[in-house]
Amino acid sequence: MENEMTAATSKTVRDYSLVGESSRKAVETGLASAEWYHTDVPRKAIKELMQRSDGPAIRDTVIWFAAILASAVGGIYFWGTWWCVPFFFVYGVLYGSSSDSRWHECGHGTAFRTRWMNDVVYQIASFMLMRNPTQWRWSHARHHTDTIIVGRDAEIAVMRPPDLLKVALMFTGLLDFRYSLPGLFRQAFVGLNDEEKSYIPEMEHYKAVVAARWHVAIYIATVALAVYLRSWLPLMLIGLPRIYGSWHMVMTGLLQHIGLADNVVDHRLNTRTVYMNPISRFIYWNMNYHVEHHMFPMVPYHALPRLHEMIKHDLPTPNPSIWHAYKEVWPVLKKQLRYEDFYLKRELPPTAKPYRDEYHNFVIPAAAE
Amino acid sequence: MSEWIEACEVDDVDEEDVIRFDHAGKTFAIYRSPDDEFFATDGLCTHEKVHLADGLVMDDIIECPKHNGRFNYKTGAAKGAPVCVNLQTYPVKVESGKVLVQIG
Ligand code: FES
């Protein structure tokens, strides 16, 4: 069997709150902000891979916006007939799913060499995703510092024991929508909550509130237009694609860490690389090379396949397809319903450096037992 | 009192690159700009204390390898989230093929 399934001996109860018991223990034991394993890559080679250029991202962004525009025009033209469905299908994925990878890559500042280009696309993609651009910049920094560390990582998509109904609902986009839009309204009118304040520095709080107000203002204007026109069309173009078009983002994004170890400081154990078809890779901007991305976040999306070739001898064998990865994940999720400590341990090829105890032996109950 | 410390040979740093230099229990970053000038800053990112020498130099910018925070390595200025605190910079001179940093 390629991957071994593992369960710890004692049962732990995980507290995913960022201000709770697991968080406190992660800091206390040194699991938070720890030193992570990196595959050795010569400086010259990694420097070459890190190099930025505007070309690939300009090309991809022009294709992206052109496809959004074309599908929107088709959707509007055929509105009121069934012919609009395929157009909105494409529009929805481009708006509700591709925006996630653009948000991500531009948030890292690696998509374009030119800073303002990253910033512009980051702001647009954040809006499409109903994400506060300031808040999410910080939550993602935390995700990179403390990847799947319980109580520290603000971006753990599936917590243990897994709520399978919630996972299923994620694919409809409703769940995210249910949290993100009210979250923006709350931030715009009331302010940030304690969890958000735990990872956003004080000097950025006001900026986060202003960003939320802009987003809310655009949504209110869109609803007003829809009421005025007595048509759903404005909402089909702005806002609702976050629901009906996010399934691809969920399908690819969930695979990043689901079912793998938590509270370890080696991305080979808690992160998954999956080979995907070219269309999904365009939508996802190569984030299927996810172990590689976490180890070397400075490498732009277009260089990840090259990085993969360079370090794959040191990584677990990638899943050959999305389907294969879900087939691997499903039994783990079912088992975690009863034993939440159960996880999928990635096997390393013989050419890899073994997992080192000091990277994994944090004896930390995720919260009070 | 500040003193000039020999950090490295000129050829130890590639153009538009950075290396790490440790001295007296502190770590520094030594930069060589694209126009062949040398600069020095504290070696650790002000966000989460990661070695900047593993980062990427682009024009006047050093990008941190952990969360891609950016600083102007000539002035030490933090260029935006997730870095908010400026880097300490140090005077540098080149003498007889050696890079000297004034630390104190
Ligand atoms: S550690 Fe440098 S940007 Fe976070």
Side-chain angles (χ1 to χ4, degrees):
Chain A
M1 194 165 133
E2 191 187 305
N3 293 302
E4 175 194 336
M5 293 181 180
T6 308
T9 43
S10 68
K11 186 181 183 301
T12 53
V13 179
R14 290 162 172 79
D15 175 0
Y16 287 92
S17 150
L18 301 185
V19 288
E21 185 61 9
S22 296
S23 177
R24 193 184 60 74
K25 285 206 167 141
V27 172
E28 208 174 273
T29 54
L31 186 53
S33 304
E35 185 79 25
W36 286 68
Y37 174 80
H38 289 96
T39 301
D40 288 333
V41 181
R43 169 83 186 155
K44 199 169 144 43
I46 199 71
K47 215 180 109 183
E48 214 176 289
L49 287 170
M50 290 191 298
Q51 289 309 317
R52 306 295 153 72
S53 57
D54 289 332
I58 288 179
R59 177 202 63 208
D60 287 348
T61 305
V62 167
I63 294 172
W64 184 44
F65 281 136
I68 286 178
L69 197 69
S71 52
V73 168
I76 294 166
Y77 186 77
F78 289 111
W79 182 243
T81 75
W82 284 104
W83 286 107
C84 74
V85 172
F87 288 98
F88 278 115
F89 177 81
V90 173
Y91 180 82
V93 170
L94 293 169
Y95 183 119
S97 289
S98 302
S99 50
D100 180 57
S101 53
R102 274 64 184 171
W103 162 83
H104 175 263
E105 191 74 13
C106 295
H108 278 284
T110 43
F112 301 89
R113 183 182 170 97
T114 308
R115 187 67 182 194
W116 69 261
M117 293 186 189
N118 283 312
D119 290 342
V120 167
V121 175
Y122 179 77
Q123 292 294 336
I124 294 170
S126 297
F127 174 77
M128 289 169 156
L129 290 161
M130 295 182 178
R131 284 182 190 161
N132 186 313
T134 306
Q135 171 198 350
W136 278 74
R137 210 184 267 282
W138 288 97
S139 80
H140 197 62
R142 176 67 77 82
H143 175 62
H144 272 268
T145 302
D146 295 323
T147 312
I148 319 297
I149 304 294
V150 177
R152 294 284 300 171
D153 186 348
E155 295 182 6
I156 300 180
V158 180
M159 299 170 183
R160 298 196 220 165
D163 182 339
L164 295 185
L165 180 65
K166 212 168 143 186
V167 174
L169 280 176
M170 279 180 188
F171 283 86
T172 67
L174 282 169
L175 212 67
D176 248 13
F177 187 82
R178 147 96 183 67
Y179 291 110
S180 44
L181 196 59
L184 285 169
F185 271 84
R186 192 244 312 137
Q187 289 169 343
F189 294 110
V190 183
L192 304 182
N193 63 25
D194 285 347
E195 291 229 341
E196 290 157 355
K197 285 178 184 166
S198 78
Y199 58 82
I200 306 172
E202 207 175 330
M203 66 208 286
E204 297 259 304
H205 288 181
Y206 182 67
K207 209 166 136 192
V209 170
V210 170
R213 286 178 184 161
W214 273 107
H215 285 204
V216 165
I218 298 172
Y219 289 122
I220 290 174
T222 309
V223 171
L225 183 66
V227 171
Y228 175 74
L229 295 175
R230 294 169 183 247
S231 166
W232 286 93
L233 187 56
L235 291 165
M236 283 297 284
L237 294 167
I238 296 175
L240 290 181
R242 180 68 180 85
I243 299 179
Y244 69 79
S246 63
W247 61 271
H248 190 281
M249 165 180 74
V250 177
M251 176 183 76
T252 50
L254 271 185
L255 291 175
Q256 294 173 356
H257 309 284
I258 192 171
L260 303 178
D262 59 13
N263 292 337
V264 293
V265 287
D266 188 332
H267 292 112
R268 299 176 302 172
L269 270 175
N270 68 8
T271 306
R272 184 183 276 107
T273 286
V274 182
Y275 291 142
M276 291 184 185
N277 65 76
I279 294 175
S280 287
R281 274 180 49 198
F282 176 79
I283 294 169
Y284 197 25
W285 255 12
N286 282 342
M287 270 309 119
N288 52 310
Y289 296 105
H290 213 64
V291 182
E292 293 81 350
H293 166 67
H294 267 281
M295 266 196 198
F296 299 101
M298 313 252 313
V299 174
Y301 74 97
H302 49 81
L304 285 176
R306 278 189 287 143
L307 173 62
H308 172 70
E309 287 305 317
M310 198 176 281
I311 67 172
K312 67 180 181 192
H313 64 276
D314 198 36
L315 309 185
T317 311
N319 294 88
S321 66
I322 296 173
W323 175 244
H324 179 276
Y326 274 104
K327 259 186 9 201
E328 170 188 271
V329 163
W330 178 240
V332 181
L333 292 186
K334 278 200 303 188
K335 199 143 187 184
Q336 282 180 347
L337 290 175
R338 278 180 298 140
Y339 312 107
E340 66 173 86
D341 290 336
F342 189 79
Y343 67 95
L344 195 61
K345 185 174 178 196
R346 306 299 263 166
E347 282 303 312
L348 291 173
T351 46
K353 275 207 182 145
Y355 295 125
R356 287 165 55 189
D357 277 354
E358 64 267 38
Y359 286 109
H360 311 119
N361 267 359
F362 292 92
V363 183
I364 172 176
E369 291 194 7
Chain B
M1 233 207 28
S2 61
E3 49 180 333
W4 289 96
I5 308 291
E6 184 184 322
C8 59
E9 306 274 334
V10 165
D11 291 342
D12 291 342
V13 197
D14 288 343
E15 228 167 73
E16 205 170 26
D17 205 1
V18 55
I19 63 163
R20 174 177 166 178
F21 166 59
D22 293 338
H23 175 74
K26 270 197 81 175
T27 186
F28 302 87
I30 312 292
Y31 307 84
R32 186 171 184 172
S33 71
D35 39 16
D36 209 16
E37 284 182 288
F38 286 83
F39 298 87
T41 68
D42 273 341
L44 299 178
C45 178
T46 57
H47 178 222
E48 286 186 3
K49 309 279 172 238
V50 167
H51 283 284
L52 291 170
D54 294 328
L56 178 67
V57 176
M58 283 178 292
D59 305 324
D60 294 353
I61 296 294
I62 172 68
E63 190 176 287
C64 172
K66 185 81 178 177
H67 308 112
N68 312 77
R70 292 174 170 210
F71 300 93
N72 181 322
Y73 59 83
K74 295 182 176 177
T75 63
K79 305 298 282 181
V83 292
C84 305
V85 179
N86 294 347
L87 271 179
Q88 171 80 46
T89 58
Y90 300 90
V92 174
K93 65 182 179 187
V94 176
E95 268 177 18
S96 326
K98 298 188 189 312
V99 180
L100 306 174
V101 186
Q102 193 176 34
I103 298 168

